[in-house]
Amino acid sequence: MQMQQRTPGGEQPYWPAGPFKIRLPFVHYRWEMAETIQGLVMFVVGLAMIPLLEKYLGMPYEAALAFTFIAGLGYILPALLGVPLVPGWITPAIPVVILFLNGFEPGPDAIKALFALQIEVTLIFLILGLTGWGSKLVQVIPNSLKSGIIIGAGIAALMGELKTGGRVDATPISLIIGSVVSAYVLFSLSFKNVVEQSVIARRIANFGMVPGMIIAMIVGWIVGEYPLPDIQWGITQPDFALMANYLTFAVGFPGWDVFLLAIPTALIAYVIAFGDIIVGFTLVERIDKVRTDEKIETNVDRVHVVTAIRNGIHAFFAPWPGLAGPLWTAAHATVAERYAMGRKAMDSIYSGGGTFWLTGLLALFCLPLVTMFKPVLPIALSLTLILTAYICIMVGMEQLRNPTERGVAGIVAVTLAMPDPKSTVYAVIIGLLLYFLIERPRLMGKHKTEDEFMFADPQESTESK
C-alpha cells in the first residue's frame, strides 16, 4: 500500500517539482509483485549491452558491468519524474550506431565518438523539450510519415534478427520457440479468452515476456545452443575505478570533426526515438480509455527533457551504444496489457513501470542472477527486438486512416528499413515529398482531406460548378 491515495478518476498523487511530477514507491504508488518478478528476469536485457561495450569500445567485462549500473539509474528516472512510459534504449537505432562506431578504433577513439553522438542526442531532446517544439512536432509531422517511421523501425529491427548470420540464424530453436510463446501470451486473442476462464492463464499473462524468455533459455541450454551457466554466489562487484578509465574525462574530449560526423546518426536516432514516443503514447491512450479510475498525463515535453537527462548522464559517465530511449516497447506493452486488466491487477501505470525498473536495478547486485543469465544474454536482446518489431508494425498500421496514407507510409517504411546508414534521412525526405505531391490536393493553402473527397455529396459538387 502507498501513503497517498488517488482520488477516483484523478491523477496518481505526486510532489510537484518544476516541469516534473515526483512519485516514490510506497509513498505515491504501491509495489507491484508481478512487475517485481518480471524485473528479476527482464533486467538481463540491460546486461545484453555488455558484449557491444566490449567489442566496440574495447573495455573489459568488469568495466562494462559498471556501465550497466549507470544505465540502471537512468531507467528509474521516467517513473520517478512523471513519465508514464517504461524506458529503454533507442533499440532500432543500434545498427546505425554500430555502423558509426565501426569508423573508429575500439578504445579511446570509439569512446570519444560515442560521447559526441550521445551529447548531440542530449541536446536535440533538451532543446525540443524546453522550447515545447517536441509537442508541436506531434501535430506538424504528417501522419503517413510518422506511421511509416514506426513501421520501418519495426521492419529494420526484425530483419536484423532474421538476416543470414543473425541471432535467429545462429540459434533458431530457442529464439523461435521463445518468440512464439511471448507473442502468444502478449497478443493472442485466443489466449485472452483463456485468461478470462483460467486463473493459471491469468497469472501467466501477468508476467508478459518472462514465460517466453525463460522457455527460450531452457530450450537453448537443452539443445546446446547456449552454454550452461557458471552460477556464483554473492553480490556483484562492478569495477567503477576501472570504468573511469573508459570515460571521456580519462581519454579526452573529441574534436569538432567527430561532432560533425556524429550529426547524421544523432538525427536518425532522434527520428526513431520520436516514433517510439508516438508508439508509447498510443498504447497509453488505448489503456487510458479502458481504465477510467486514473487519468494518465501524456506530456511530450517532459518525455523529451527526461530522455535528455538520461542521455547526458550516459555521455559523461557511461557512453551507451543503445543510447537512452524513451520507450522499451516490449516491456511497456507488457505493463500496459496488465494495467488494462483493472486496478486489482495494477494500481497505477506508474506503479507498474516504477516497480519494474527499481527491481531491475536491485537485481544487478544479485551475483547468482547475473552469472546465471550471462551465457544467454543474446536471447533477451533478440526477443526484445522481435516483439518490438511486431508492436511497431501493429501500432503504425493502426494509425493510418486511408489508402493514400497507407501507400506513402509503406514507401517510407521500406526506405527506412534499407541497410544504409542514411536510410532514415532518405525516408524522411521521401515521406515529405510524397505527402506534398500525393496526399495534399493543393500544394499550398487549405485543402480537403481524402476522406472528405470520398464522402463528399456528388450533387453538392455539381451545383457548385
Side-chain angles (χ1 to χ4, degrees):
M1 293 295 292
Q2 66 267 26
M3 294 171 59
Q4 299 185 19
Q5 300 293 327
R6 178 175 75 244
T7 58
E11 274 194 76
Q12 193 70 9
Y14 62 89
W15 290 333
F20 307 116
K21 294 182 176 181
I22 296 176
R23 293 182 174 92
L24 301 175
F26 305 111
V27 177
H28 302 105
Y29 61 80
R30 79 183 187 194
W31 194 266
E32 304 286 353
M33 290 308 301
E35 275 63 43
T36 299
I37 296 174
Q38 286 191 65
L40 290 174
V41 177
M42 298 296 289
F43 86 100
V44 70
V45 175
L47 296 176
M49 190 57 62
I50 290 178
L52 300 184
L53 292 168
E54 292 174 324
K55 180 176 181 180
Y56 295 100
L57 298 189
M59 63 174 58
Y61 174 83
E62 293 75 13
L65 181 61
F67 270 33
T68 66
F69 280 84
I70 304 299
L73 293 174
Y75 295 141
I76 69 174
L77 288 181
L80 175 67
L81 299 178
V83 175
L85 305 179
V86 179
W89 311 332
I90 308 179
T91 309
I94 291 176
V96 182
V97 174
I98 289 176
L99 190 62
F100 169 70
L101 292 177
N102 277 332
F104 301 89
E105 190 71 24
D109 289 345
I111 293 169
K112 292 178 184 179
L114 189 52
F115 170 83
L117 171 62
Q118 204 140 25
I119 280 294
E120 290 176 354
V121 173
T122 299
L123 291 175
I124 292 172
F125 274 103
L126 188 62
I127 292 171
L128 292 177
L130 293 178
T131 59
W133 295 342
S135 300
K136 295 177 182 178
L137 276 177
V138 177
Q139 302 172 355
V140 171
I141 295 181
N143 190 55
S144 56
L145 179 57
K146 290 186 290 188
S147 298
I149 289 173
I150 295 170
I151 297 169
I155 294 173
L158 186 61
M159 295 307 296
E161 294 302 301
L162 297 178
K163 68 180 180 181
T164 303
R167 280 179 285 267
V168 173
D169 183 46
T171 56
I173 300 175
S174 56
L175 288 181
I176 291 175
I177 291 175
S179 299
V180 169
V181 172
S182 297
Y184 182 72
V185 170
L186 283 173
F187 309 118
S188 172
L189 296 178
S190 64
F191 185 71
K192 289 182 180 179
N193 288 327
V194 175
V195 167
E196 293 179 358
Q197 303 170 4
S198 170
V199 176
I200 296 176
R202 194 175 304 120
R203 290 178 178 174
I204 293 173
N206 284 340
F207 301 127
M209 284 179 60
V210 172
M213 187 173 295
I214 291 177
I215 289 174
M217 291 175 178
I218 293 174
V219 170
W221 285 325
I222 291 175
V223 302
E225 289 182 342
Y226 294 93
L228 292 173
D230 177 19
I231 299 177
Q232 303 173 21
W233 300 94
I235 299 175
T236 50
Q237 297 180 347
D239 197 332
F240 289 100
L242 180 62
M243 179 192 82
N245 296 329
Y246 296 88
L247 302 179
T248 190
F249 304 110
V251 302
F253 289 86
W256 289 110
D257 57 330
V258 179
F259 281 102
L260 291 174
L261 288 173
I263 289 175
T265 306
L267 293 173
I268 289 170
Y270 175 75
V271 171
I272 294 174
F274 181 77
D276 283 342
I277 294 174
I278 297 170
V279 171
F281 279 175
T282 300
L283 292 173
V284 167
E285 288 165 2
R286 288 170 62 184
I287 59 175
D288 195 28
K289 295 176 182 177
V290 177
R291 288 281 300 271
T292 57
D293 61 289
E294 179 181 10
K295 179 182 178 182
I296 305 175
E297 181 189 26
T298 52
N299 189 311
V300 175
D301 297 329
R302 186 180 300 140
V303 175
H304 277 72
V305 174
V306 173
T307 306
I309 293 172
R310 291 176 56 219
N311 276 289
I313 292 172
H314 270 296
F316 286 101
F317 302 107
W320 199 249
L323 306 176
L327 183 75
W328 179 1
T329 311
H332 181 69
T334 299
V335 171
E337 287 289 328
R338 209 173 78 81
Y339 176 79
M341 295 179 184
R343 192 166 185 176
K344 287 185 178 180
M346 185 185 297
D347 178 57
S348 168
I349 191 71
Y350 298 100
S351 65
T355 301
F356 179 86
W357 270 127
L358 280 169
T359 302
L361 179 60
L362 295 175
L364 289 172
F365 290 93
C366 185
L367 185 60
L369 286 176
V370 172
T371 53
M372 181 177 69
F373 290 128
K374 186 178 179 180
V376 289
L377 293 180
I379 289 179
L381 180 59
S382 290
L383 289 184
T384 296
L385 288 168
I386 291 169
L387 293 176
T388 295
Y390 176 86
I391 295 167
C392 285
I393 294 170
M394 174 186 69
V395 173
M397 294 293 291
E398 187 179 52
Q399 299 303 303
L400 297 169
R401 297 169 297 202
N402 55 59
T404 304
E405 284 190 354
R406 287 191 281 273
V408 173
I411 298 297
V412 171
V414 172
T415 306
L416 183 68
M418 291 172 58
D420 188 311
K422 297 180 181 178
S423 61
T424 307
V425 177
Y426 297 149
V428 172
I429 294 173
I430 290 172
L432 290 173
L433 286 174
L434 292 178
Y435 169 73
F436 282 104
L437 294 176
I438 296 179
E439 289 190 57
R440 291 177 63 97
R442 293 183 182 179
L443 292 179
M444 304 296 292
K446 295 181 67 175
H447 62 279
K448 289 184 178 181
T449 65
E450 180 173 345
D451 292 336
E452 290 173 328
F453 273 111
M454 290 174 63
F455 298 106
D457 186 349
Q459 182 66 30
E460 178 183 341
S461 177
T462 304
E463 291 175 357
S464 65
K465 293 180 180 179

